[in-house]
Amino acid sequence: MKINGNGNRGNWGSRMGFILAASGSAIGLGNVWKFPYITGQNGGGAFVLVYLVCAIIIGLPIMLAEFTIGRNTFRNPVGAINSLRPNSPWVVVGFMGVLAGFLILSFYGVVGGWTIAYIVKSLGSNIAHFETPEKAGEFFGTFISNSSEIVVYHLAFMAICIGIVIRGIDKGIEKACNILMPALLVMLVLLMIRSLTLPGAFEGVKFYLAPDFSKITPEVVLIALGQAFFSLSLGMGCMITYGSYLSPKEDLATSALFVVIFDTMIALLVGMVIFPAVFAMGLEPAEGPSLVFSVLPAVFTQIPMGGFVAILFFILLTIAAITSGISLLEVVVAYFVDEKGWSRKKAVLFSSSIIFAFGVPSGLSFGSMSDVTWFGMTFFENVDNIASNYLLPIGGMLTAIFIGWVWSPLEAKKEIERHGGTFRFAGAWEFLIRYVSPIAVAIVFLAKIF
Ligand code: TRP
């Protein structure tokens, strides 16, 4: 269907489908795995508050910017920038995005594999039998160092993403998200009820929601901003790509607002599952990256119906990871389809095989390759560091500068209003995108280097 000169690249079937898919991209391991543990490490409520400010003031304007570039050009990030400013050095920003998609998916797929493994292990009731988090931690450590098991689950995760993306936009990605996102929400609500009805749960709610402003330091602000980028899937053209399949009759500004609200809401709800349970069981909220894989299994061991809760939780985590993984793959696929004229099938099979192969050393980074390090970091940590701490913030900053100063906010506003409405916050948006976002991200980025 050629509704917008989009050729045969594919289109979203409905606005709700698009919003669910974009929310599916945003809602991922970043919300369910990372957000709780960095909130735990950075003082609870105060961190949540700073995060909200970052998501609204910086995340939302950049999300809208990416949607706008995508829908105006119907292209992947490289093609989009090329068509707005042909033969300019800005195309590098597009390439950085495609590269970031490649790199992030290579290690994201490894963690996605862990989540599938934990579903399988909780079905075999192997997960909810740890007396202490240390024992659960040991179990996790043994598991992630088992090379063959890791590679198999990593492959399983990639195979699911391939199976979805190869079916295209409306029949693949949109359809999967239409089923998976509501399922995720239902599981989340069930888990929250379980968690909040545990005796002692209120201590966790207090830790999570009562801000202690003495905890807000410049460091906390930086971490919150970086998290906002990662969690909202910004800075690498993922939302450019998703926006490129959108029809001109849809309202971009409202869609961006919905996606930011959904992503934030889910992150907050996940916290309402994890902290009440962790506090009710008298465990440590500041445990770090192993919070979900070792503290929670210890929690599941102690609570009534824990075995079932464990299954539910890891299915939820896997769903979140899949709907994000497919969005990362789609960026790379769209590049080959648009720029090289490949069929979707060829683009999916080619890019996912290389991404998988490149991810294998990341998968082995906790076992047989744990001694292979550069700059004091394992392969996994290096790839994560380059993509998340460099490519994303620089990409986000350059996207904001590109739309605010190079392409024009006026042209962008026309695109935003193409559905026939008026964009009432155009003035505020222009100010945020021209000044606030680039400066804020530059500060984060510089602080990461020094
Ligand atoms: N936002 C996802 C999460 O929270 C991860 C993700 C998907 C992502 N696509 C992205 C992160 C693009 C950065 C850029 O897990």
Short mmCIF file of all heavy atoms in Angstrom, two decimals, residues 23-32 34 100-101 104 108 227-239 263 320-321 323-325 327-328 331 392, ligand 1:
data_model
loop_
_atom_site.label_atom_id
_atom_site.label_comp_id
_atom_site.label_asym_id
_atom_site.label_seq_id
_atom_site.Cartn_x
_atom_site.Cartn_y
_atom_site.Cartn_z
N SER A 23 6.68 1.87 21.88
CA SER A 23 6.77 1.64 23.33
C SER A 23 7.50 0.33 23.59
O SER A 23 8.28 0.21 24.54
CB SER A 23 5.40 1.57 23.98
OG SER A 23 4.65 2.71 23.67
N GLY A 24 7.25 -0.65 22.73
CA GLY A 24 7.93 -1.93 22.88
C GLY A 24 9.43 -1.78 22.71
O GLY A 24 10.22 -2.42 23.41
N SER A 25 9.83 -0.91 21.79
CA SER A 25 11.25 -0.63 21.62
C SER A 25 11.81 0.01 22.88
O SER A 25 12.86 -0.38 23.40
CB SER A 25 11.46 0.31 20.43
OG SER A 25 12.78 0.81 20.45
N ALA A 26 11.07 0.98 23.39
CA ALA A 26 11.57 1.73 24.55
C ALA A 26 11.59 0.84 25.80
O ALA A 26 12.57 0.81 26.54
CB ALA A 26 10.70 2.96 24.77
N ILE A 27 10.50 0.11 26.01
CA ILE A 27 10.40 -0.71 27.22
C ILE A 27 11.21 -1.98 27.03
O ILE A 27 10.91 -2.78 26.15
CB ILE A 27 8.93 -1.07 27.50
CG1 ILE A 27 8.13 0.21 27.75
CG2 ILE A 27 8.82 -2.04 28.66
CD1 ILE A 27 6.63 0.02 27.64
N GLY A 28 12.26 -2.12 27.81
CA GLY A 28 13.12 -3.28 27.60
C GLY A 28 13.93 -3.57 28.85
O GLY A 28 13.54 -3.21 29.96
N LEU A 29 15.08 -4.20 28.64
CA LEU A 29 15.93 -4.51 29.78
C LEU A 29 16.29 -3.23 30.52
O LEU A 29 16.53 -3.25 31.72
CB LEU A 29 17.21 -5.20 29.29
CG LEU A 29 16.99 -6.56 28.61
CD1 LEU A 29 18.27 -7.03 27.93
CD2 LEU A 29 16.53 -7.58 29.64
N GLY A 30 16.33 -2.13 29.79
CA GLY A 30 16.62 -0.83 30.40
C GLY A 30 15.63 -0.50 31.51
O GLY A 30 15.99 0.06 32.53
N ASN A 31 14.36 -0.85 31.32
CA ASN A 31 13.35 -0.57 32.34
C ASN A 31 13.33 -1.62 33.44
O ASN A 31 13.20 -1.30 34.61
CB ASN A 31 11.93 -0.58 31.73
CG ASN A 31 11.80 0.38 30.59
OD1 ASN A 31 12.56 0.30 29.63
ND2 ASN A 31 10.87 1.28 30.67
N VAL A 32 13.37 -2.89 33.02
CA VAL A 32 13.09 -3.95 33.99
C VAL A 32 14.36 -4.38 34.73
O VAL A 32 14.33 -4.75 35.90
CB VAL A 32 12.45 -5.17 33.30
CG1 VAL A 32 11.96 -6.17 34.32
CG2 VAL A 32 11.28 -4.75 32.42
N LYS A 34 17.76 -2.60 34.35
CA LYS A 34 18.69 -1.53 34.73
C LYS A 34 18.08 -0.47 35.65
O LYS A 34 18.70 -0.06 36.63
CB LYS A 34 19.17 -0.86 33.44
CG LYS A 34 20.64 -0.50 33.49
CD LYS A 34 21.15 -0.15 32.10
CE LYS A 34 22.54 0.42 32.14
NZ LYS A 34 22.87 1.10 30.89
N ALA A 100 25.62 1.76 16.03
CA ALA A 100 25.19 1.59 17.43
C ALA A 100 24.14 0.49 17.53
O ALA A 100 24.16 -0.32 18.47
CB ALA A 100 24.65 2.90 17.99
N GLY A 101 23.22 0.44 16.54
CA GLY A 101 22.20 -0.61 16.56
C GLY A 101 22.85 -1.98 16.50
O GLY A 101 22.49 -2.89 17.26
N ILE A 104 24.76 -2.54 19.96
CA ILE A 104 23.89 -2.75 21.13
C ILE A 104 23.20 -4.11 21.04
O ILE A 104 23.18 -4.87 22.00
CB ILE A 104 22.85 -1.62 21.28
CG1 ILE A 104 23.55 -0.29 21.56
CG2 ILE A 104 21.86 -1.93 22.41
CD1 ILE A 104 22.63 0.92 21.64
N TYR A 108 23.01 -6.99 23.74
CA TYR A 108 21.63 -7.06 24.25
C TYR A 108 21.07 -8.46 24.04
O TYR A 108 20.36 -9.00 24.88
CB TYR A 108 20.79 -6.04 23.48
CG TYR A 108 19.54 -5.55 24.15
CD1 TYR A 108 19.58 -4.47 25.04
CD2 TYR A 108 18.30 -6.13 23.88
CE1 TYR A 108 18.42 -4.00 25.64
CE2 TYR A 108 17.15 -5.67 24.48
CZ TYR A 108 17.21 -4.60 25.35
OH TYR A 108 16.06 -4.14 25.95
N GLN A 227 20.52 7.11 31.38
CA GLN A 227 19.46 6.10 31.46
C GLN A 227 18.25 6.52 30.63
O GLN A 227 17.62 5.69 29.98
CB GLN A 227 19.08 5.85 32.94
CG GLN A 227 17.84 5.00 33.16
CD GLN A 227 18.01 3.56 32.69
OE1 GLN A 227 19.12 3.11 32.40
NE2 GLN A 227 16.91 2.82 32.61
N ALA A 228 17.93 7.81 30.63
CA ALA A 228 16.77 8.28 29.86
C ALA A 228 16.99 7.99 28.37
O ALA A 228 16.10 7.50 27.68
CB ALA A 228 16.53 9.77 30.09
N PHE A 229 18.19 8.24 27.88
CA PHE A 229 18.51 7.95 26.48
C PHE A 229 18.34 6.48 26.16
O PHE A 229 17.69 6.10 25.20
CB PHE A 229 19.95 8.35 26.16
CG PHE A 229 20.02 9.69 25.54
CD1 PHE A 229 20.04 10.82 26.32
CD2 PHE A 229 20.03 9.83 24.17
CE1 PHE A 229 20.07 12.07 25.75
CE2 PHE A 229 20.06 11.06 23.58
CZ PHE A 229 20.08 12.19 24.37
N PHE A 230 18.97 5.65 26.98
CA PHE A 230 18.94 4.23 26.70
C PHE A 230 17.52 3.70 26.80
O PHE A 230 17.05 2.97 25.93
CB PHE A 230 19.86 3.47 27.68
CG PHE A 230 20.06 2.04 27.28
CD1 PHE A 230 21.06 1.68 26.38
CD2 PHE A 230 19.23 1.04 27.77
CE1 PHE A 230 21.23 0.36 25.99
CE2 PHE A 230 19.40 -0.28 27.39
CZ PHE A 230 20.40 -0.61 26.49
N SER A 231 16.82 4.11 27.85
CA SER A 231 15.50 3.56 28.08
C SER A 231 14.50 4.01 27.02
O SER A 231 13.60 3.26 26.66
CB SER A 231 15.01 3.97 29.46
OG SER A 231 13.77 3.36 29.72
N LEU A 232 14.66 5.23 26.50
CA LEU A 232 13.71 5.71 25.49
C LEU A 232 14.16 5.36 24.07
O LEU A 232 13.56 5.81 23.10
CB LEU A 232 13.51 7.22 25.64
CG LEU A 232 12.80 7.66 26.95
CD1 LEU A 232 12.92 9.15 27.17
CD2 LEU A 232 11.34 7.24 26.93
N SER A 233 15.20 4.57 23.92
CA SER A 233 15.72 4.16 22.60
C SER A 233 16.12 5.36 21.75
O SER A 233 15.82 5.41 20.56
CB SER A 233 14.68 3.34 21.81
OG SER A 233 14.33 2.18 22.49
N LEU A 234 16.79 6.33 22.35
CA LEU A 234 17.13 7.54 21.60
C LEU A 234 18.62 7.61 21.28
O LEU A 234 19.43 6.95 21.91
CB LEU A 234 16.75 8.77 22.43
CG LEU A 234 15.25 8.90 22.72
CD1 LEU A 234 14.99 10.08 23.63
CD2 LEU A 234 14.46 9.01 21.43
N GLY A 235 18.95 8.41 20.27
CA GLY A 235 20.36 8.71 20.00
C GLY A 235 20.97 7.86 18.90
O GLY A 235 22.14 8.01 18.58
N MET A 236 20.22 6.96 18.31
CA MET A 236 20.81 6.14 17.24
C MET A 236 19.85 5.92 16.09
O MET A 236 20.06 5.06 15.26
CB MET A 236 21.26 4.79 17.78
CG MET A 236 20.17 4.06 18.50
SD MET A 236 20.32 2.29 18.36
CE MET A 236 19.72 2.02 16.73
N GLY A 237 18.80 6.73 16.02
CA GLY A 237 17.93 6.62 14.86
C GLY A 237 16.94 5.49 14.89
O GLY A 237 16.29 5.18 13.89
N CYS A 238 16.79 4.86 16.05
CA CYS A 238 15.80 3.80 16.17
C CYS A 238 14.41 4.40 15.96
O CYS A 238 13.57 3.85 15.23
CB CYS A 238 15.90 3.20 17.57
SG CYS A 238 15.16 1.62 17.74
N MET A 239 14.16 5.53 16.58
CA MET A 239 12.85 6.17 16.45
C MET A 239 12.71 6.89 15.09
O MET A 239 11.60 7.13 14.64
CB MET A 239 12.61 7.13 17.62
CG MET A 239 12.47 6.40 18.96
SD MET A 239 11.17 5.11 18.91
CE MET A 239 11.24 4.45 20.57
N ASP A 263 6.72 4.33 28.59
CA ASP A 263 8.04 3.83 29.01
C ASP A 263 8.28 4.17 30.48
O ASP A 263 8.75 3.34 31.26
CB ASP A 263 9.12 4.43 28.13
CG ASP A 263 10.50 3.88 28.46
OD1 ASP A 263 10.74 2.69 28.17
OD2 ASP A 263 11.32 4.61 29.04
N ALA A 320 9.93 -8.02 27.21
CA ALA A 320 10.48 -6.66 27.14
C ALA A 320 11.73 -6.65 26.27
O ALA A 320 11.93 -5.76 25.44
CB ALA A 320 10.77 -6.14 28.54
N ALA A 321 12.58 -7.66 26.44
CA ALA A 321 13.83 -7.71 25.68
C ALA A 321 13.58 -7.96 24.20
O ALA A 321 14.23 -7.38 23.33
CB ALA A 321 14.75 -8.80 26.26
N THR A 323 10.84 -7.19 22.30
CA THR A 323 10.27 -6.05 21.57
C THR A 323 11.30 -4.93 21.40
O THR A 323 11.15 -4.08 20.54
CB THR A 323 9.00 -5.53 22.27
OG1 THR A 323 9.31 -5.23 23.62
CG2 THR A 323 7.88 -6.54 22.20
N SER A 324 12.35 -4.92 22.23
CA SER A 324 13.43 -3.95 22.03
C SER A 324 14.46 -4.48 21.04
O SER A 324 14.96 -3.74 20.20
CB SER A 324 14.15 -3.66 23.36
OG SER A 324 13.24 -3.11 24.27
N GLY A 325 14.77 -5.76 21.16
CA GLY A 325 15.74 -6.38 20.25
C GLY A 325 15.32 -6.23 18.79
O GLY A 325 16.13 -5.90 17.92
N SER A 327 13.61 -3.90 17.49
CA SER A 327 13.74 -2.52 17.01
C SER A 327 15.20 -2.21 16.67
O SER A 327 15.49 -1.44 15.75
CB SER A 327 13.20 -1.53 18.04
OG SER A 327 14.07 -1.38 19.14
N LEU A 328 16.12 -2.81 17.41
CA LEU A 328 17.54 -2.62 17.10
C LEU A 328 17.86 -3.28 15.77
O LEU A 328 18.55 -2.72 14.91
CB LEU A 328 18.39 -3.22 18.22
CG LEU A 328 18.33 -2.45 19.56
CD1 LEU A 328 18.80 -3.34 20.71
CD2 LEU A 328 19.17 -1.19 19.49
N VAL A 331 16.68 -1.33 12.59
CA VAL A 331 17.49 -0.19 12.13
C VAL A 331 18.53 -0.67 11.10
O VAL A 331 18.69 -0.09 10.03
CB VAL A 331 18.20 0.50 13.31
CG1 VAL A 331 19.15 1.59 12.82
CG2 VAL A 331 17.18 1.08 14.28
N LEU A 392 25.61 6.70 21.69
CA LEU A 392 24.26 7.21 21.96
C LEU A 392 24.25 8.68 22.35
O LEU A 392 23.52 9.47 21.74
CB LEU A 392 23.55 6.39 23.04
CG LEU A 392 23.08 4.99 22.70
CD1 LEU A 392 22.24 4.43 23.84
CD2 LEU A 392 22.29 4.95 21.42
N1 TRP B 1 15.21 1.00 25.15
C1 TRP B 1 15.53 -0.39 25.26
C2 TRP B 1 15.61 -0.78 26.72
O1 TRP B 1 15.30 -0.01 27.59
C3 TRP B 1 16.81 -0.73 24.54
C4 TRP B 1 16.87 -0.18 23.17
C5 TRP B 1 16.16 -0.57 22.08
C6 TRP B 1 17.67 0.90 22.75
N2 TRP B 1 16.46 0.22 21.01
C7 TRP B 1 17.38 1.13 21.40
C8 TRP B 1 18.59 1.70 23.42
C9 TRP B 1 18.00 2.18 20.73
C10 TRP B 1 19.20 2.72 22.74
C11 TRP B 1 18.90 2.99 21.42
O2 TRP B 1 15.98 -1.87 27.02
#
